[in-house]
Amino acid sequence: MGGPGDPPEGTPEGAPGGGEDEYRSVVFDESFVRAARLQEYSARERMADHAPAVRRRPALHRGLSRQALILVLLIAVAFGTAIYMGVRHPIQAPRAQAVEPLRMTVIPLAPQSAVPGTTDPEALYTHSPAVQFRVGAQGLTFPATRRTPHFSESQVVAALTTAQHYLVASSLDPAVLTGGAVRQVRVLLDPQQLDQFDQSFDHPAADGRHAPTGWLVRFDPSRVQLADSRIRVQGTLQATEANSDTLEISADHTVVYALKPTGSDARAQTSLFTVRRELTFHFDRDDLRTDQAKLVASYVQAGPLSCAEDSANQLRPLLAGQTARAGGPAGTDPYATGSATALCGTLSTSAEPRV
């Protein structure tokens, strides 16, 4: 018999208060309902034709997955570390090494007697110490090349090649020799030396820094011209390291020109003019990449010249039959190594052709 208030047949199965209610512990709260993937249509919505009893609800946005969250976290950590390291250890751009100005010395060599000459330039060469010299760039021979402790063999070859190009442009190019063009030489210089180069030609001075004839060989075109384009050359090139970042090329060459008076004809007397150039080039790795050089030292002996003439801007050679107004100290031979240094010297008779 049921308890007070219970139906006569007892509590229906599944009704509240039933003895075996297996869903009694389940609580269908509001959050459970909102999370359901299926939702029952309202009575009004079910009145539409063919309307299903339920509809699928869009999935709730539950935020980033665990993998995505970890990836974002790692990116944030890496970015923060980069900023921290940049503040603590800023990357400093390598400082360009300052280029010291070119040091130059130009020494005129005065003849001890009248300058010898003849109408045949080849005869002059044959009877002079230049008889065994090669013609033009063929005389600018390379030494045996090998790597140095900090520079590869290809870098050494590149430095020698640029030095050779500079020698050709500055002592063999007819346009440069006649006192006009300079661009062929200028483009081979490191950009940090261009101001000194330009000042030398804009305002020539015999101050050991701004003599155009320290950079290149050029004659006074109003006085002389080439009698033979087959210029004779002999000398050496040597590669060493100045330091771990600088490759040094030493060039020591004697260049001999056959000259005659400007405007003269083929019957004019020809004489020889000799220039001894000792040049020192420096190359850093940027110079090797751009095929440019730093000319850091230039020592030049040239004659026959008059010591009274200004040889800083242009060379004004004494021609066949001419004599110097005043001599200098003991004879200097531009063909010999280890010549003495002086403001002006005398040209050794052994350096002149015997005609």
Side-chain angles (χ1 to χ4, degrees), residues 22-281:
E22 60 180 314
Y23 299 106
R24 184 181 300 276
S25 61
V26 180
V27 179
F28 297 97
D29 57 9
E30 183 178 355
S31 63
F32 180 86
V33 173
R34 285 200 303 268
R37 300 296 303 275
L38 296 178
Q39 181 182 39
E40 184 180 5
Y41 283 101
S42 65
R44 183 181 300 276
E45 291 172 328
R46 288 198 301 271
M47 291 175 63
D49 292 340
H50 310 293
V54 296
R55 61 184 171 189
R56 182 174 295 274
R57 299 181 65 184
L60 294 176
H61 180 67
R62 297 182 181 275
L64 296 175
S65 66
R66 178 177 298 180
Q67 292 85 350
L69 185 60
I70 292 175
L71 179 60
V72 171
L73 182 61
L74 289 175
I75 293 175
V77 171
F79 186 70
T81 302
I83 294 177
Y84 174 78
M85 294 300 293
V87 173
R88 289 292 301 272
H89 306 284
I91 299 176
Q92 298 181 353
R95 297 180 180 179
Q97 295 183 357
V99 177
E100 58 182 287
L102 167 62
R103 307 182 307 276
M104 59 182 71
T105 303
V106 180
I107 300 177
L109 302 179
Q112 300 182 45
S113 58
V115 176
T118 179
T119 57
D120 183 6
E122 194 63 37
L124 286 174
Y125 285 123
T126 301
H127 294 89
S128 77
V131 61
Q132 300 297 329
F133 285 15
R134 295 184 177 182
V135 176
Q138 296 178 8
L140 305 174
T141 56
F142 276 21
T145 57
R146 59 180 60 88
R147 64 171 293 116
T148 65
H150 299 94
F151 292 87
S152 67
E153 182 178 351
S154 63
Q155 288 175 315
V156 173
V157 171
L160 288 168
T161 300
T162 301
Q164 183 191 59
H165 290 168
Y166 188 93
L167 292 168
V168 170
S170 63
S171 59
L172 300 178
D173 189 328
V176 174
L177 296 175
T178 54
V182 298
R183 182 181 180 278
Q184 298 91 316
V185 179
R186 190 179 189 274
V187 295
L188 294 170
L189 291 170
D190 185 286
Q192 296 185 69
Q193 286 195 302
L194 296 183
D195 284 346
Q196 184 187 5
F197 182 87
D198 293 340
Q199 290 174 14
S200 298
F201 290 86
D202 293 339
H203 306 286
D207 59 359
R209 290 290 188 270
H210 301 96
T213 50
W215 296 98
L216 48 81
V217 177
R218 69 171 184 172
F219 302 111
D220 182 353
S222 67
R223 179 174 297 189
V224 300
Q225 68 183 50
L226 288 174
D228 185 356
S229 61
R230 294 165 52 85
I231 301 167
R232 304 309 201 267
V233 183
Q234 179 171 283
T236 61
L237 288 167
Q238 183 178 4
T240 57
E241 280 192 13
N243 54 58
S244 60
D245 296 318
T246 306
L247 194 60
E248 181 174 288
I249 302 297
S250 300
D252 185 354
H253 290 84
T254 300
V255 189
V256 185
Y257 307 88
L259 303 177
K260 63 181 181 179
T262 299
S264 60
D265 56 25
R267 295 171 296 178
Q269 291 279 304
T270 298
S271 58
L272 295 186
F273 187 84
T274 304
V275 178
R276 169 82 176 274
R277 303 180 79 199
E278 298 177 53
L279 307 180
T280 302
F281 302 91

Side-chain angles (χ1 to χ4, degrees), residues 162-163 188-190 193 281-283 287 291-295:
T162 301
L188 294 170
L189 291 170
D190 185 286
Q193 286 195 302
F281 302 91
H282 280 180
F283 297 83
D287 293 325
D291 298 325
Q292 293 174 315
K294 302 178 183 72
L295 181 59

